[in-house]
Amino acid sequence: MKWYSLFAFLIAAVFLTSCNTVRVTYDFDRATDFNTYKTYNFHQKGIDKLELNDLDKRRILAAIDVQMAAKGFTKSDNPQLYINVLASSKEKINIDNGYYGGYWGPYWGGPSRVYQYTSGTIIIDIVDNARNILVWQGAGSGLDVSNLNTKGDDIPKAIEEILAKFPPPAK
């Protein structure tokens, strides 16, 4: 019975980690007390320079608004925090050569397949308005933005994953 439980746990762990939309990294100023911040807004000049189509730009900003509100922040004309967003994309090619690993060793399972997709990266910078310094940065990479049918759902999920560690826990 122990083996069955361990196996079920490992399968669940693999399933849960494979559900992530993006690979997320983040960094923050460890000397900053994030509990003092209550308000935010977008850095308009930075958002205006964001090279995305209007649909994706609105999706990103709306998803950030949802996440910030869920964390107790209020959007303000005189914010304590400014949020800037950077985005980039890169064409990727994936080659599946039909090679699979098995219990008794590797084997060839079929013809090779080549497929191309666009991999996107979203970076969210959060700046302390009074001190004019970057206090938190999160990045999500590996978002498949070439699938027009799913990116409307994938972008908000990616923003949620990127902002999952904001604000960092109190010291």
Side-chain angles (χ1 to χ4, degrees):
M1 193 55 143
K2 284 185 192 179
W3 290 107
Y4 178 74
S5 297
L6 179 61
F7 181 72
F9 173 76
L10 290 175
I11 293 296
V14 168
F15 176 73
L16 290 173
T17 57
S18 67
C19 291
N20 287 354
T21 307
V22 294
R23 287 179 306 282
V24 174
T25 57
Y26 70 99
D27 192 15
F28 63 95
D29 180 5
R30 273 113 178 111
T32 298
D33 180 6
F34 288 87
N35 291 324
T36 62
Y37 299 122
K38 303 293 180 216
T39 60
Y40 78 98
N41 207 333
F42 295 103
H43 185 262
Q44 197 56 50
K45 287 182 185 177
I47 298 303
D48 290 343
K49 291 181 184 178
L50 187 57
E51 294 183 13
L52 288 175
N53 67 55
D54 287 341
L55 286 172
D56 290 343
K57 190 183 288 192
R58 285 193 308 261
R59 287 176 180 133
I60 289 172
L61 299 180
I64 291 172
D65 280 337
V66 166
Q67 292 303 312
M68 293 299 282
K71 295 171 184 292
F73 289 89
T74 305
K75 200 168 189 180
S76 168
D77 290 333
N78 187 22
Q80 295 169 306
L81 297 172
Y82 269 117
I83 297 176
N84 193 32
V85 179
L86 304 161
S88 65
S89 62
K90 205 191 291 191
E91 294 298 317
K92 297 269 190 161
I93 296 176
N94 196 10
I95 301 172
D96 176 3
N97 60 12
Y99 173 81
Y100 300 96
Y103 181 74
W104 297 106
Y107 60 90
W108 294 95
S112 296
R113 294 178 294 169
V114 177
Y115 51 96
Q116 184 174 347
Y117 66 99
T118 304
S119 176
T121 298
I122 299 171
I123 300 170
I124 299 174
D125 290 337
I126 300 181
V127 175
D128 180 307
N129 187 22
R131 299 184 295 160
N132 198 29
I133 62 168
L134 180 68
V135 292
W136 191 90
Q137 182 179 63
S141 60
L143 176 65
D144 183 358
V145 293
S146 57
N147 188 339
L148 298 177
N149 295 324
T150 62
K151 75 177 182 173
D153 293 329
D154 291 345
I155 288 174
K157 288 178 193 170
I159 296 299
E160 180 180 1
E161 291 172 24
I162 294 167
L163 289 174
K165 299 290 185 175
F166 180 80
K171 305 176 224 174

PDB file of all heavy atoms in Angstrom, residues 58-74:
ATOM      1  N   ARG A  58      -4.451  44.619 -23.464  1.00  0.00           N
ATOM      2  CA  ARG A  58      -5.603  44.722 -22.556  1.00  0.00           C
ATOM      3  C   ARG A  58      -5.731  43.481 -21.677  1.00  0.00           C
ATOM      4  O   ARG A  58      -6.081  43.590 -20.502  1.00  0.00           O
ATOM      5  CB  ARG A  58      -6.889  44.949 -23.352  1.00  0.00           C
ATOM      6  CG  ARG A  58      -7.020  46.360 -23.895  1.00  0.00           C
ATOM      7  CD  ARG A  58      -8.417  46.662 -24.407  1.00  0.00           C
ATOM      8  NE  ARG A  58      -8.924  45.686 -25.349  1.00  0.00           N
ATOM      9  CZ  ARG A  58      -8.917  45.821 -26.680  1.00  0.00           C
ATOM     10  NH1 ARG A  58      -8.407  46.909 -27.217  1.00  0.00           N
ATOM     11  NH2 ARG A  58      -9.422  44.895 -27.456  1.00  0.00           N
ATOM     12  N   ARG A  59      -5.442  42.302 -22.231  1.00  0.00           N
ATOM     13  CA  ARG A  59      -5.491  41.068 -21.433  1.00  0.00           C
ATOM     14  C   ARG A  59      -4.491  41.118 -20.285  1.00  0.00           C
ATOM     15  O   ARG A  59      -4.812  40.747 -19.156  1.00  0.00           O
ATOM     16  CB  ARG A  59      -5.185  39.856 -22.318  1.00  0.00           C
ATOM     17  CG  ARG A  59      -6.291  39.487 -23.249  1.00  0.00           C
ATOM     18  CD  ARG A  59      -5.876  38.342 -24.155  1.00  0.00           C
ATOM     19  NE  ARG A  59      -6.951  38.006 -25.054  1.00  0.00           N
ATOM     20  CZ  ARG A  59      -6.816  37.813 -26.362  1.00  0.00           C
ATOM     21  NH1 ARG A  59      -5.621  37.890 -26.926  1.00  0.00           N
ATOM     22  NH2 ARG A  59      -7.863  37.515 -27.098  1.00  0.00           N
ATOM     23  N   ILE A  60      -3.287  41.562 -20.574  1.00  0.00           N
ATOM     24  CA  ILE A  60      -2.243  41.637 -19.540  1.00  0.00           C
ATOM     25  C   ILE A  60      -2.632  42.639 -18.458  1.00  0.00           C
ATOM     26  O   ILE A  60      -2.565  42.334 -17.258  1.00  0.00           O
ATOM     27  CB  ILE A  60      -0.879  41.988 -20.169  1.00  0.00           C
ATOM     28  CG1 ILE A  60      -0.350  40.789 -20.973  1.00  0.00           C
ATOM     29  CG2 ILE A  60       0.125  42.408 -19.101  1.00  0.00           C
ATOM     30  CD1 ILE A  60       0.888  41.086 -21.787  1.00  0.00           C
ATOM     31  N   LEU A  61      -3.037  43.839 -18.856  1.00  0.00           N
ATOM     32  CA  LEU A  61      -3.380  44.875 -17.873  1.00  0.00           C
ATOM     33  C   LEU A  61      -4.588  44.471 -17.034  1.00  0.00           C
ATOM     34  O   LEU A  61      -4.595  44.676 -15.809  1.00  0.00           O
ATOM     35  CB  LEU A  61      -3.621  46.209 -18.565  1.00  0.00           C
ATOM     36  CG  LEU A  61      -2.410  46.784 -19.334  1.00  0.00           C
ATOM     37  CD1 LEU A  61      -2.779  48.116 -19.975  1.00  0.00           C
ATOM     38  CD2 LEU A  61      -1.190  46.901 -18.460  1.00  0.00           C
ATOM     39  N   ALA A  62      -5.599  43.885 -17.664  1.00  0.00           N
ATOM     40  CA  ALA A  62      -6.780  43.440 -16.919  1.00  0.00           C
ATOM     41  C   ALA A  62      -6.416  42.323 -15.943  1.00  0.00           C
ATOM     42  O   ALA A  62      -6.894  42.310 -14.801  1.00  0.00           O
ATOM     43  CB  ALA A  62      -7.869  42.964 -17.881  1.00  0.00           C
ATOM     44  N   ALA A  63      -5.559  41.407 -16.361  1.00  0.00           N
ATOM     45  CA  ALA A  63      -5.146  40.313 -15.470  1.00  0.00           C
ATOM     46  C   ALA A  63      -4.345  40.840 -14.285  1.00  0.00           C
ATOM     47  O   ALA A  63      -4.498  40.358 -13.156  1.00  0.00           O
ATOM     48  CB  ALA A  63      -4.329  39.282 -16.250  1.00  0.00           C
ATOM     49  N   ILE A  64      -3.505  41.839 -14.519  1.00  0.00           N
ATOM     50  CA  ILE A  64      -2.752  42.450 -13.413  1.00  0.00           C
ATOM     51  C   ILE A  64      -3.718  43.142 -12.457  1.00  0.00           C
ATOM     52  O   ILE A  64      -3.587  43.008 -11.236  1.00  0.00           O
ATOM     53  CB  ILE A  64      -1.674  43.424 -13.941  1.00  0.00           C
ATOM     54  CG1 ILE A  64      -0.566  42.637 -14.648  1.00  0.00           C
ATOM     55  CG2 ILE A  64      -1.086  44.256 -12.796  1.00  0.00           C
ATOM     56  CD1 ILE A  64       0.453  43.505 -15.375  1.00  0.00           C
ATOM     57  N   ASP A  65      -4.696  43.865 -12.997  1.00  0.00           N
ATOM     58  CA  ASP A  65      -5.703  44.516 -12.145  1.00  0.00           C
ATOM     59  C   ASP A  65      -6.416  43.490 -11.264  1.00  0.00           C
ATOM     60  O   ASP A  65      -6.605  43.719 -10.066  1.00  0.00           O
ATOM     61  CB  ASP A  65      -6.735  45.262 -12.993  1.00  0.00           C
ATOM     62  CG  ASP A  65      -6.252  46.623 -13.473  1.00  0.00           C
ATOM     63  OD1 ASP A  65      -5.348  47.205 -12.841  1.00  0.00           O
ATOM     64  OD2 ASP A  65      -6.803  47.097 -14.496  1.00  0.00           O
ATOM     65  N   VAL A  66      -6.804  42.368 -11.843  1.00  0.00           N
ATOM     66  CA  VAL A  66      -7.501  41.319 -11.084  1.00  0.00           C
ATOM     67  C   VAL A  66      -6.609  40.782  -9.967  1.00  0.00           C
ATOM     68  O   VAL A  66      -7.042  40.645  -8.813  1.00  0.00           O
ATOM     69  CB  VAL A  66      -7.955  40.172 -12.022  1.00  0.00           C
ATOM     70  CG1 VAL A  66      -8.372  38.943 -11.236  1.00  0.00           C
ATOM     71  CG2 VAL A  66      -9.085  40.641 -12.918  1.00  0.00           C
ATOM     72  N   GLN A  67      -5.361  40.507 -10.291  1.00  0.00           N
ATOM     73  CA  GLN A  67      -4.452  39.942  -9.290  1.00  0.00           C
ATOM     74  C   GLN A  67      -4.133  40.947  -8.176  1.00  0.00           C
ATOM     75  O   GLN A  67      -4.076  40.578  -7.002  1.00  0.00           O
ATOM     76  CB  GLN A  67      -3.147  39.459  -9.953  1.00  0.00           C
ATOM     77  CG  GLN A  67      -3.341  38.263 -10.853  1.00  0.00           C
ATOM     78  CD  GLN A  67      -3.958  37.100 -10.132  1.00  0.00           C
ATOM     79  OE1 GLN A  67      -3.536  36.709  -9.048  1.00  0.00           O
ATOM     80  NE2 GLN A  67      -5.004  36.533 -10.720  1.00  0.00           N
ATOM     81  N   MET A  68      -3.928  42.196  -8.547  1.00  0.00           N
ATOM     82  CA  MET A  68      -3.614  43.209  -7.530  1.00  0.00           C
ATOM     83  C   MET A  68      -4.816  43.434  -6.614  1.00  0.00           C
ATOM     84  O   MET A  68      -4.652  43.568  -5.396  1.00  0.00           O
ATOM     85  CB  MET A  68      -3.162  44.513  -8.191  1.00  0.00           C
ATOM     86  CG  MET A  68      -1.830  44.412  -8.925  1.00  0.00           C
ATOM     87  SD  MET A  68      -0.436  43.952  -7.878  1.00  0.00           S
ATOM     88  CE  MET A  68      -0.102  45.522  -7.090  1.00  0.00           C
ATOM     89  N   ALA A  69      -6.015  43.467  -7.170  1.00  0.00           N
ATOM     90  CA  ALA A  69      -7.227  43.629  -6.350  1.00  0.00           C
ATOM     91  C   ALA A  69      -7.387  42.434  -5.405  1.00  0.00           C
ATOM     92  O   ALA A  69      -7.741  42.607  -4.238  1.00  0.00           O
ATOM     93  CB  ALA A  69      -8.454  43.780  -7.235  1.00  0.00           C
ATOM     94  N   ALA A  70      -7.105  41.241  -5.900  1.00  0.00           N
ATOM     95  CA  ALA A  70      -7.215  40.039  -5.065  1.00  0.00           C
ATOM     96  C   ALA A  70      -6.208  40.070  -3.912  1.00  0.00           C
ATOM     97  O   ALA A  70      -6.446  39.475  -2.860  1.00  0.00           O
ATOM     98  CB  ALA A  70      -7.000  38.790  -5.909  1.00  0.00           C
ATOM     99  N   LYS A  71      -5.126  40.797  -4.087  1.00  0.00           N
ATOM    100  CA  LYS A  71      -4.100  40.903  -3.046  1.00  0.00           C
ATOM    101  C   LYS A  71      -4.330  42.102  -2.129  1.00  0.00           C
ATOM    102  O   LYS A  71      -3.529  42.397  -1.272  1.00  0.00           O
ATOM    103  CB  LYS A  71      -2.717  40.971  -3.700  1.00  0.00           C
ATOM    104  CG  LYS A  71      -2.360  39.682  -4.432  1.00  0.00           C
ATOM    105  CD  LYS A  71      -1.093  39.853  -5.236  1.00  0.00           C
ATOM    106  CE  LYS A  71      -0.787  38.605  -6.031  1.00  0.00           C
ATOM    107  NZ  LYS A  71      -0.415  37.467  -5.225  1.00  0.00           N
ATOM    108  N   GLY A  72      -5.442  42.822  -2.362  1.00  0.00           N
ATOM    109  CA  GLY A  72      -5.796  43.929  -1.479  1.00  0.00           C
ATOM    110  C   GLY A  72      -5.277  45.282  -1.910  1.00  0.00           C
ATOM    111  O   GLY A  72      -5.377  46.253  -1.157  1.00  0.00           O
ATOM    112  N   PHE A  73      -4.749  45.403  -3.110  1.00  0.00           N
ATOM    113  CA  PHE A  73      -4.245  46.685  -3.604  1.00  0.00           C
ATOM    114  C   PHE A  73      -5.352  47.436  -4.325  1.00  0.00           C
ATOM    115  O   PHE A  73      -6.238  46.843  -4.916  1.00  0.00           O
ATOM    116  CB  PHE A  73      -3.057  46.467  -4.554  1.00  0.00           C
ATOM    117  CG  PHE A  73      -1.822  46.004  -3.857  1.00  0.00           C
ATOM    118  CD1 PHE A  73      -1.589  44.648  -3.663  1.00  0.00           C
ATOM    119  CD2 PHE A  73      -0.886  46.906  -3.387  1.00  0.00           C
ATOM    120  CE1 PHE A  73      -0.452  44.204  -3.019  1.00  0.00           C
ATOM    121  CE2 PHE A  73       0.260  46.473  -2.741  1.00  0.00           C
ATOM    122  CZ  PHE A  73       0.478  45.111  -2.553  1.00  0.00           C
ATOM    123  N   THR A  74      -5.258  48.764  -4.272  1.00  0.00           N
ATOM    124  CA  THR A  74      -6.237  49.627  -4.911  1.00  0.00           C
ATOM    125  C   THR A  74      -5.540  50.446  -5.989  1.00  0.00           C
ATOM    126  O   THR A  74      -4.457  50.990  -5.754  1.00  0.00           O
ATOM    127  CB  THR A  74      -6.860  50.597  -3.877  1.00  0.00           C
ATOM    128  OG1 THR A  74      -7.402  49.824  -2.802  1.00  0.00           O
ATOM    129  CG2 THR A  74      -7.941  51.450  -4.495  1.00  0.00           C
TER     130      THR A  74
END
